[in-house]
Structures are given as C-alpha cells and as structure tokens.
Amino acid sequence: MKLRQLAHSRTGDKGNTSNISVIAHDPADYERLLREVTPERVKQHFADVVKGTVVRYELPRLGAFNFVMTLALGGGVTRSLALDAHGKSLSSALLDLELPDS
C-alpha cells in the first residue's frame, strides 16, 4: 500500500529547507501514520535528496504531520540547478512511500 491511499500532502520551502505536510484522509488512520511515517523512514526515502535532518511535527487534532527537511533543495531556489528548485514534487514523491499491509 502506498501512503497516498491514506493521506494527501502539500509542500513548502524556505531557502535550502523543504517542509512537507502529510494529512490523513481519515482521522482514524492517524495512529497508523504515526507508527509508519517516521522521520527515519522519510530520511531514508529521500536519501539521495535530503542531506540534512528530518524533523516531524505532530498535529494530532488535525490528523496531520509536518516534516521539515534541511539541506534538501540543492542550495535553495536561487542556487540550485535542479529542475524543481522549490521541491514541490517532493510531496508527491513522499506519497509513493510503501506502507506495510495491516
């Protein structure tokens, strides 16, 4: 199962930092996402992109998380040669994260 089956996401950026919100479609899935979508798994998922830290902020009343990833945008919008210097496609890439069946 892919994360996109349980959640949707949005992406933002500031300099060389990207943040991705992950919002459960159904609040009942929040606890599963809490267990499965850890900062470590997100860092591993973006191993070729994120050179810094991944911090997860939990928003249980919203059924959401915000992942802040440093050193993630090739130096930032004004310095990166990446096709997607803002990192907007990272939210879609995160939704491809495989979750174990449960």
Side-chain angles (χ1 to χ4, degrees):
M1 166 184 283
K2 301 260 187 194
L3 176 57
R4 72 178 65 254
Q5 293 174 258
L6 299 178
H8 60 101
S9 66
R10 298 281 297 166
T11 306
D13 63 89
K14 189 69 167 177
N16 200 18
T17 300
S18 177
N19 70 73
I20 301 177
S21 59
V22 174
I23 306 108
H25 295 305
D26 182 342
D29 291 322
Y30 181 80
E31 290 299 320
R32 180 176 181 191
L33 296 175
L34 183 66
R35 286 189 314 272
E36 302 292 341
V37 189
T38 64
E40 295 79 19
R41 288 212 52 214
V42 172
K43 171 88 170 164
Q44 180 182 22
H45 189 69
F46 288 120
D48 294 336
V49 177
V50 177
K51 304 304 179 194
T53 60
V54 175
V55 177
R56 178 178 73 181
Y57 295 92
E58 300 167 9
L59 305 156
R61 294 180 73 164
L62 298 176
F65 305 94
N66 189 41
F67 291 91
V68 177
M69 307 181 302
T70 62
L71 303 177
L73 298 173
V77 172
T78 60
R79 304 183 90 186
S80 177
L81 297 176
L83 185 60
D84 179 16
H86 289 277
K88 299 299 182 191
S89 64
L90 294 178
S91 62
S92 183
L94 182 56
L95 293 177
D96 280 337
L97 181 72
E98 285 287 339
L99 300 179
D101 294 328
S102 62

